[in-house]
Amino acid sequence: MVAIAQEVETDSTETKQLDEVIVTATRTVRQLSSLPLPAQLVSKKEIKSVNSLRLSDILNEQTGLITVPDFGGGEGIQLQGLDSQYTLVLIDGVPLIGRSAGTLDISRITVGNIKQIEIVKGASSSLYGSEALGGVINIITENPKYGFNGELNSRVGSFNTLDNSFNLGYRKEKFSVSAFVNSFSSDGYDLNENDALNTVEPFKNHTFNTKLTYNFNENTSLFLSGRYYTQNQDYVASEDLKGESDINEWNAHAKLSHTYNEKWSSYFEFYATRYMADEYLNNTDNSRFSESDFNQLLLRPEIRASYKASEKSDFIGGIGWNHETLKRTDFSTNPEFNSPYAYLQYDTNPTEKLNVILGARFDNHSEYKSQFSPKAALRYKLSNKIAVKGSVGYGFKAPDFRQLYFDFTNSSVGYTVLGYNAVTTAIPQMEANGELANIVVPISEFENELNPENSIGINVGADYRLSSTVKVDLNVFRNNIEDLIDTRVIANKTNGQNVFSYYNVHKVFTQGLEFNVNWKPSNNLKLMGGYQLLFAKDKAAVDAFENGEVYARLTPSSPSFQLKKEDYFGLYNRSRHMANFKIFYTFERWKLDANLRGTYRSKYGLYDTNGNTYLDKYDEFVDGYSTWDIAFNKTLYKNYTLGFGIDNVFGFTDTQNISNISGRIIYGKLNIQI
C-alpha cells in the first residue's frame, strides 16, 4: 500500500483524510510526524508548482542533499556527506540499477508521474541490504483516480530543451490501469567556448510506464507494473574522436497481496530489471577507435508477511533472493552474484508516548562475506509540541562488479586497472608476457575476499511543533565508515606506467547537524528553510595532521612547512555549509501561484593542489555559490494551467568545476487536465 500526503482517498467502503504518510522508512504506512527516523517528503503539489523536469532538479533543493556530476555527465546524489554510491534509489519500492562507475544517474528519472518522493536518512540496510548504507530515496508513482482521467504536460526552455509527457488512467471498483509517456530532449550546452567540446552534448530520451491493479476480493489483490527508458546522446571525446551513447533500461514488477485475517497478511513479489549502455568512438575517417558495452540484469523474488500482535505491536518479516549478472567490456569474466536474504522488524508502542522499532537483516552473498545488519530506533513524545527521537543502524555497500572483475588497460597512456578478483589470474599472465618491471603487492594479499564497505549510522533529533503553523525539525548525525574501498599501485609496468587494483583501507566519518523550518502563516503563504553543517574526514588523515606528518608548499619552489590539525579541511567535494529557502504564495483571486527558491553551497575542494595528497586550507577550492529559481502558474478554465519560470535567475556558472549548472534557463509550460 502506498498513500500520498494530504490526499483524500476514496473507495467503495470509506473516505478518509490522511496526514503526511510514508512507507519507505518501515515498509508500512506510517505518519511522517510519528517516525523515530530522520525522513523527508516531497509532495506532488510541490513538484508541480516548481515545474521540475527531472529527479535531480527537485532533490537538489532538499536539506542535506546535493547533486554531484560524475565524469560521464550523470548526476548522483550526495546525502549527509556520503557519496552517491551509498544511497539506494527505488521506484515504487524496488531498486534501480546501472551504476557503471559507481554513480546512479538520477537525471534519467522524470518527475512527470511522481506522486511522492520519500527520503530516509541514515543506514537502512536492516530493511534494504546493500547500497542503503547512507539512506534510501523512494520515488512513488501516481495512481489513477476514479473514472477516466489524464494529464498532458509540455515545457519548452533554453538550449532548445523540450519535455512532453502524457498520463492517462482509469479506475473503477476492482480494477485500475494507467499509462505514462515522457519525451525529453535538449541541444545540450557548452560552458567553455575555448575548446571544441560541449559540456553536455545533445540528447533525447523517452520513458514509458504502465501500472495495473486488480482486486479479486476484499482480501486479495494483484499489482503489475512495467517501465522502459531509452536515451541516445552524442559522445565526443576529442576533436578527432566522436561517437554515440545509447542507454536502454526496463523494469517489470509483479506483486500478489493477501490478507488472511485481522492479524496476518502477506505478499509475493517478483521484480526484474535490465540496464544496457553501449558506447562507441570513431576516428575522423569513421573507423572504430573504441567501443564499450554494459549489460546488467537483476532478478529478485521476495515473500513478506506482517503480523499484528496487538493494537500496539506489529511484526514484519521477509525472505528473498537477488540474482545479478553483468556483461561488460574490459571485464575478466562475466560475473554472477547470488544473495539470499531475510529480514525481520518489530514496531511497538509500549506507551502512548513511546515508539520503538527493532530490526535486522541477514544477507548471504556468493562473492563476499555475509552481512548482518541490525537497527534500533525510538521516539518519545515529551509533550504535544515536542518529541525526541534517535536511531542507530548498520549499513553496508557490497563491492561492485567493477571493483571485483575489471581488467582494463588504457590504450593511449598504458596504465592498467584490475578488479580484486582478477589480480590472481591477470598478474601472472602479464608477468609471463614481460609487461611487468616488478610486483609491489604480493598476489597472496588477493587470496581473501574484498570486504564490503560498512557503516554505523547514528541520528539523534527532535520535532518541535511551535503551533499549528510552525514546525521545526532538528537532526544530529554521525556516520562511521570502515573498510572503504580505494585503489593502490600493485605493480609497475615496463612501459613506465602502473597496475592498479582495489583494497580495503580507509576509515572515514561524516558528522554534523541539519534542521528544517516550515511556517504557514496563512492558507495562501508557506515558507520553508533548511540548513546542514557537515564535517567529513578521513581518520588516517586526521591522525597524520595531529602527528605533524603532513607538509605543504605555497609554491613549487618555496620551502615546505608543517601543517597543523586545524589545517585539514576534510574529504573532497564536501561543503561545510548548505542551505535552502523556499516561499510559496497563492493568489486565489487570480488563480495564480508563485514561488521563489534558493540554494546555497559553501566552498569545497576537488583536488590536492600542493602535492601532499590531502585537502588542506592551502589547496585551491571551488568558491561557494547560490542559485535562485522563480516559477509562476496560472490556472485558466479550471483544466488548463500556464507556467512560466526562470531557473538560476542570476545566471551562475563555473566553467571549470561545475558541469551540471548550465546557466540561466527560461521556460514556459502548459498543463491540461483531462
Side-chain angles (χ1 to χ4, degrees):
M1 177 180 177
V2 174
I4 183 173
Q6 306 299 335
E7 178 177 319
V8 178
E9 291 200 345
T10 307
D11 60 25
S12 59
T13 59
E14 63 177 344
T15 300
K16 59 183 180 180
Q17 181 75 33
L18 295 175
D19 189 11
E20 288 186 323
V21 294
I22 185 170
V23 298
T24 308
T26 62
R27 285 197 169 183
T28 59
V29 177
R30 286 286 304 267
Q31 287 190 2
L32 177 66
S33 59
S34 70
L35 268 182
L37 305 166
Q40 295 175 231
L41 292 183
V42 184
S43 68
K44 178 181 178 180
K45 182 179 180 180
E46 179 176 341
I47 295 171
K48 292 188 67 175
S49 64
V50 302
N51 296 327
S52 294
L53 290 179
R54 317 305 284 181
L55 182 62
S56 53
D57 300 333
I58 196 73
L59 290 184
N60 205 46
E61 297 182 354
Q62 309 309 311
T63 303
L65 278 67
I66 185 74
T67 55
V68 178
D70 65 9
F71 65 86
E75 290 185 81
I77 192 73
Q78 188 185 104
L79 187 155
Q80 288 190 345
L82 297 174
D83 278 339
S84 61
Q85 60 184 319
Y86 304 124
T87 299
L88 181 64
V89 180
L90 312 171
I91 291 186
D92 290 327
V94 289
L96 292 175
I97 60 174
R99 298 173 183 263
S100 58
T103 297
L104 184 73
D105 181 14
I106 59 175
S107 65
R108 77 183 198 233
I109 303 172
T110 177
V111 301
N113 66 333
I114 291 180
K115 180 169 73 171
Q116 179 166 294
I117 302 171
E118 302 181 352
I119 305 163
V120 179
K121 299 178 180 179
S124 301
S125 293
S126 62
L127 282 177
Y128 295 100
S130 181
E131 296 178 10
L133 183 151
V136 178
I137 297 174
N138 190 10
I139 299 105
I140 299 174
T141 58
E142 187 65 82
N143 292 319
K145 302 175 183 177
Y146 275 89
F148 280 104
N149 49 86
E151 184 178 34
L152 175 66
N153 283 287
S154 182
R155 173 178 146 166
V156 60
S158 303
F159 312 114
N160 198 25
T161 299
L162 180 63
D163 183 270
N164 293 310
S165 64
F166 180 64
N167 202 347
L168 182 65
Y170 173 72
R171 182 179 178 185
K172 61 178 183 178
E173 299 298 327
K174 292 186 175 183
F175 174 78
S176 71
V177 63
S178 63
F180 171 78
V181 180
N182 174 260
S183 176
F184 182 46
S185 62
S186 172
D187 286 349
Y189 56 88
D190 188 13
L191 297 177
N192 187 358
E193 297 181 355
N194 295 324
D195 59 27
L197 306 179
N198 290 326
T199 305
V200 172
E201 297 292 343
F203 66 86
K204 57 182 177 180
N205 59 53
H206 305 278
T207 302
F208 307 90
N209 189 201
T210 183
K211 296 171 66 173
L212 181 149
T213 59
Y214 184 77
N215 299 318
F216 296 96
N217 51 52
E218 292 183 356
N219 298 322
T220 307
S221 63
L222 176 67
F223 167 85
L224 300 172
S225 74
R227 176 178 173 270
Y228 179 73
Y229 171 84
T230 181
Q231 175 172 290
N232 176 267
Q233 184 174 27
D234 293 340
Y235 185 42
V236 181
S238 68
E239 294 185 49
D240 300 324
L241 297 174
K242 299 179 181 180
E244 286 188 1
S245 170
D246 288 293
I247 296 174
N248 291 280
E249 175 192 13
W250 58 260
N251 319 91
H253 186 194
K255 182 165 63 176
L256 181 66
S257 304
H258 183 72
T259 300
Y260 302 94
N261 51 48
E262 293 182 355
K263 291 183 176 293
W264 283 98
S265 64
S266 69
Y267 72 64
F268 173 78
E269 178 181 70
F270 182 80
Y271 176 63
T273 179
R274 184 183 293 275
Y275 177 90
M276 295 175 287
D278 302 316
E279 297 178 352
Y280 72 84
L281 284 172
N282 285 346
N283 296 300
T284 53
D285 62 0
N286 215 32
S287 61
R288 187 60 50 91
F289 174 80
S290 67
E291 57 186 342
S292 63
D293 300 317
F294 184 99
N295 188 335
Q296 184 178 3
L297 173 69
L298 171 66
L299 304 176
R300 192 185 76 178
E302 180 179 301
I303 301 174
R304 193 194 81 173
S306 61
Y307 174 66
K308 190 173 184 62
S310 67
E311 290 297 322
K312 296 182 178 180
S313 301
D314 297 281
F315 288 90
I316 301 168
I319 57 174
W321 175 61
N322 288 318
H323 172 75
E324 194 172 3
T325 63
L326 178 63
K327 296 180 180 178
R328 182 176 182 178
T329 306
D330 300 316
F331 265 34
S332 60
T333 184
N334 292 329
E336 178 179 303
F337 286 176
N338 289 287
S339 176
Y341 60 87
Y343 61 88
L344 180 66
Q345 178 181 269
Y346 176 55
D347 188 344
T348 182
N349 292 277
T351 70
E352 291 184 0
K353 295 184 176 181
L354 179 63
N355 175 226
V356 178
I357 296 177
L358 302 173
R361 171 170 165 144
F362 180 76
D363 289 81
N364 182 23
H365 203 279
S366 60
E367 298 298 324
Y368 60 82
K369 292 180 180 178
S370 299
Q371 296 293 302
F372 178 70
S373 309
K375 186 167 188 174
L378 63 85
R379 181 180 188 272
Y380 187 77
K381 189 175 180 181
L382 296 175
S383 68
N384 290 331
K385 291 186 176 181
I386 188 167
V388 293
K389 58 187 179 181
S391 64
V392 57
Y394 175 88
F396 75 95
K397 166 69 171 63
D400 61 33
F401 287 114
R402 173 176 49 92
Q403 293 164 336
L404 293 178
Y405 300 105
F406 213 32
D407 188 353
F408 169 77
T409 298
N410 183 281
S411 58
S412 58
V413 179
Y415 64 86
T416 297
V417 182
L418 298 175
Y420 186 91
N421 290 2
V423 170
T424 55
T425 301
I427 287 295
Q429 184 64 48
M430 294 176 70
E431 190 174 27
N433 294 338
E435 299 177 47
L436 300 182
N438 66 291
I439 296 176
V440 178
V441 179
I443 296 179
S444 59
E445 290 197 17
F446 295 88
E447 293 176 353
N448 297 319
E449 296 174 337
L450 186 64
N451 294 327
E453 299 169 287
N454 61 85
S455 171
I456 301 294
I458 302 171
N459 288 267
V460 179
D463 300 330
Y464 183 49
R465 303 298 180 258
L466 182 62
S467 66
S468 60
T469 62
V470 180
K471 302 177 182 179
V472 180
D473 303 319
L474 172 68
N475 184 55
V476 179
F477 61 88
R478 167 91 179 196
N479 296 291
N480 292 307
I481 308 172
E482 296 191 359
D483 284 335
L484 198 72
I485 298 174
D486 201 353
T487 58
R488 60 175 170 175
V489 175
I490 64 169
N492 306 124
K493 302 180 70 173
T494 54
N495 63 0
Q497 295 296 322
N498 296 316
V499 180
F500 300 88
S501 189
Y502 300 90
Y503 74 129
N504 297 113
V505 59
H506 285 307
K507 295 181 179 180
V508 305
F509 66 87
T510 70
Q511 64 182 25
L513 64 85
E514 54 193 13
F515 69 81
N516 291 283
V517 179
N518 190 316
W519 181 34
K520 192 174 183 180
S522 70
N523 290 331
N524 296 335
L525 177 63
K526 184 177 182 180
L527 295 93
M528 305 165 66
Y531 168 77
Q532 177 183 267
L533 172 67
L534 174 68
F535 297 90
K537 297 186 177 183
D538 186 322
K539 292 181 180 179
V542 171
D543 292 340
F545 276 81
E546 286 183 345
N547 296 332
E549 300 171 357
V550 184
Y551 294 81
R553 286 186 173 92
L554 295 179
T555 66
S557 59
S558 64
S560 63
F561 56 94
Q562 188 180 71
L563 296 180
K564 302 176 182 178
K565 176 183 177 181
E566 56 269 23
D567 293 331
Y568 178 46
F569 187 83
L571 300 180
Y572 298 101
N573 208 5
R574 271 77 169 181
S575 294
R576 189 66 44 82
H577 309 280
M578 292 199 303
N580 65 79
F581 172 78
K582 308 170 191 175
I583 179 170
F584 297 85
Y585 192 81
T586 301
F587 301 87
E588 291 184 352
R589 180 180 178 182
W590 301 328
K591 295 182 180 180
L592 172 71
D593 65 79
N595 58 80
L596 170 69
R597 294 117 46 218
T599 61
Y600 169 74
R601 183 181 187 186
S602 67
K603 71 174 186 178
Y604 59 95
L606 289 178
Y607 311 103
D608 165 43
T609 56
N610 57 29
N612 60 18
T613 73
Y614 299 105
L615 181 61
D616 59 70
K617 72 177 186 180
Y618 298 101
D619 287 312
E620 293 184 15
F621 286 80
V622 179
D623 292 334
Y625 64 90
S626 65
T627 60
W628 293 88
D629 307 330
I630 57 173
F632 302 89
N633 294 284
K634 165 71 174 175
T635 301
L636 302 169
Y637 306 107
K638 186 179 179 179
N639 293 332
Y640 299 86
T641 302
L642 292 177
F644 169 79
I646 305 175
D647 291 343
N648 194 3
V649 173
F650 299 105
F652 168 78
T653 59
D654 185 323
T655 60
Q656 292 184 328
N657 303 303
I658 308 175
S659 62
N660 62 331
I661 298 181
S662 59
R664 184 181 298 107
I665 298 175
I666 303 173
Y667 65 84
K669 183 178 180 180
L670 171 66
N671 173 270
I672 302 175
Q673 299 287 332
I674 301 174

